[in-house]
Amino acid sequence: MKRLVTILLFFGVLLCFSCKVKRIAGPAGVTTPVIQAAIAKQGAEDFQDVFKRVLENKQAQLSYPNAIRSFYQSKTFQPVLISHFMLQDQLQTLLSYFEAVSRHGLDPKLFAVTNIRKMRERLYVKKGLTLNVYQDVVELELQVASSLLKYSNALQFGLLNPAQIDSNYFTPTAQPDSILMLRVLEVKDLRGYLDSIQPKGKKYLALQAALRDEIQAPKKTLEETQQTLKVNLERLRWRNKPTEQKFVRINIPEFNLQVIEKGISVLQMKVCVGEKGKETPQLGSKIYSVQVNPVWNIPESIAKNEISKYAGRDKYYLANNNIHVFKQGKLIDDPESIDWARENVSSYSFKQQPGYRNSLGKIKFLFKNESSVYLHDTPVKAAFNQPMRAISHGCVRVEKPLLLALALFEKGKKYEQIKSAMQSGYPRAKYIGLPVSVPVFITYYTTDIDEKGRLLFYDDIYGLDKALYAKLQDN
């Protein structure tokens, strides 16, 4: 009986105050006695049982069901959000942010705006309230919680998890945890919180402005441009950005490498990246060492599909390109005698020795990653003059390797060793470790801004824009 009285008082006060709030006032004729009578007709069914039952039934429709269940369990299954938001007119504030989410390239339908409005109105009728007021209140409460969490996480972490979209994505990317989500549901100053989570980076704001102003990219329709802006806004929301003062950034569609120090680009150069089918992965790691005059351990796929075929057509190809052949770790003295068309190439290993013909050039930059890729020099410099530079087997070829080494090592003994070894007429492979590892990030942005804030667009060479946009639409 005591619990029933508490519930009656709660809804009487809640809706009595709600009628005094201009923007969300219910229809005329809603009075506290009518409310109390409607609740009383519901019977003695325990409010917590209704809450638990509705939560169980609606669980599959909620954005973060585990976090929501944990939160309401701590609140003894009471509608704490709408009791606070409706009395202070903050529910309308929340809806206004949801309705304006298109400025972030997102669809308001993602946050159930229409559904929330309908459920709120269902609490009011001209001649009183619905008899099923308990369930109506709980459904509104849960939808508000679900949409608030989805909006909060979308703006701070992105709507999608990039690792679930692209199997070639290996950049550490933070995801929202339950502790953060519980804090969101405890927010009291809703407008202040919603303003605080608006991304404020220059690139993000520039892309937002371009989306709002319907800027059209060269050689793209307006619709294609808008899609490009939307997917790149999503990428900018992902929590995968470097926090270090100094790092190397390669942007695949731009075919460009930059060394960034304290927010300023101190070095730029062209790069070649993986061709379609042999894509360079997106990743985050740390460059810890270089190998000057490197040995190229030729991957099995390249040995099988390319090297052995060249050797089959020209028996001196291996010797002319300084490639040694091994079987079970033992060097083959006369690989010219091998009939590569008949042999099982997989039982052999191939290593190209240091020299001017080496495909890795004079130096490679090493960092741990799951794809066995690295940055390296190349003897084929003409490729950097091509506008389309997706031509490698997955590793990144750099235009000015010695300048990159200088930017990483800075002037000193180790840099002079690198410079001398690269210029040597008698090249020998040598590892030289960085005094301090430097982060490297390989990214995929198809639009960016330059130093003057002008918008730049790049081709979607791997089709990742299309894949991401389709996922945003499905979501």
Side-chain angles (χ1 to χ4, degrees), residues 321-340:
N321 287 277
N322 208 10
I323 297 174
H324 292 180
V325 181
F326 299 81
K327 188 169 186 179
Q328 296 179 344
K330 184 179 179 181
L331 178 66
I332 303 296
D333 292 328
D334 56 345
E336 296 86 359
S337 64
I338 298 174
D339 185 351
W340 294 108

Side-chain angles (χ1 to χ4, degrees), residues 190-383:
L190 188 60
R191 185 182 293 277
Y193 174 72
L194 296 175
D195 285 341
S196 74
I197 62 175
Q198 154 73 40
K200 299 175 179 63
K202 288 182 180 179
K203 291 181 182 180
Y204 195 92
L205 296 177
L207 266 59
Q208 275 194 302
L211 187 67
R212 179 197 65 215
D213 297 340
E214 297 188 341
I215 299 298
Q216 187 172 335
K219 300 179 182 180
K220 285 180 181 282
T221 65
L222 177 59
E223 182 181 3
E224 289 169 341
T225 305
Q226 297 262 300
Q227 290 181 9
T228 299
L229 293 169
K230 289 176 182 179
V231 297
N232 284 281
L233 282 167
E234 171 69 2
R235 290 183 180 120
L236 287 170
R237 289 189 290 265
W238 292 339
R239 286 275 191 99
N240 59 1
K241 311 303 180 291
T243 57
E244 295 85 355
Q245 291 289 301
K246 181 177 180 178
F247 60 90
V248 176
R249 174 184 179 259
I250 297 106
N251 188 32
I252 295 169
E254 189 181 358
F255 306 123
N256 178 262
L257 177 150
Q258 294 184 69
V259 177
I260 309 294
E261 283 196 63
K262 298 180 180 178
I264 299 172
S265 176
V266 296
L267 178 65
Q268 289 201 49
M269 67 184 68
K270 298 174 183 178
V271 298
C272 298
V273 299
E275 63 185 342
K276 191 71 185 291
K278 300 172 184 176
E279 292 91 345
T280 298
Q282 296 177 72
L283 60 81
S285 186
K286 289 188 175 183
I287 301 173
Y288 63 87
S289 178
V290 299
Q291 186 182 32
V292 188
N293 299 313
V295 173
W296 183 30
N297 296 302
I298 301 173
E300 184 178 328
S301 61
I302 298 177
K304 182 179 180 180
N305 298 324
E306 298 179 33
I307 303 299
S308 63
K309 288 182 169 51
Y310 299 151
R313 291 194 292 267
D314 175 6
K315 68 178 183 178
Y316 298 112
Y317 172 83
L318 297 171
N320 289 338
N321 287 277
N322 208 10
I323 297 174
H324 292 180
V325 181
F326 299 81
K327 188 169 186 179
Q328 296 179 344
K330 184 179 179 181
L331 178 66
I332 303 296
D333 292 328
D334 56 345
E336 296 86 359
S337 64
I338 298 174
D339 185 351
W340 294 108
R342 295 175 178 238
E343 283 290 329
N344 178 11
V345 180
S346 298
S347 62
Y348 294 86
S349 59
F350 299 75
K351 296 186 179 185
Q352 189 175 35
Q353 302 307 301
Y356 73 96
R357 288 181 179 270
N358 189 286
S359 295
L360 304 185
K362 293 287 188 177
I363 187 172
K364 67 178 179 179
F365 301 81
L366 302 171
F367 46 90
K368 293 180 180 179
N369 65 92
E370 298 180 31
S371 305
S372 300
V373 300
Y374 38 82
L375 314 182
H376 67 87
D377 181 22
T378 176
V380 187
K381 304 297 184 182

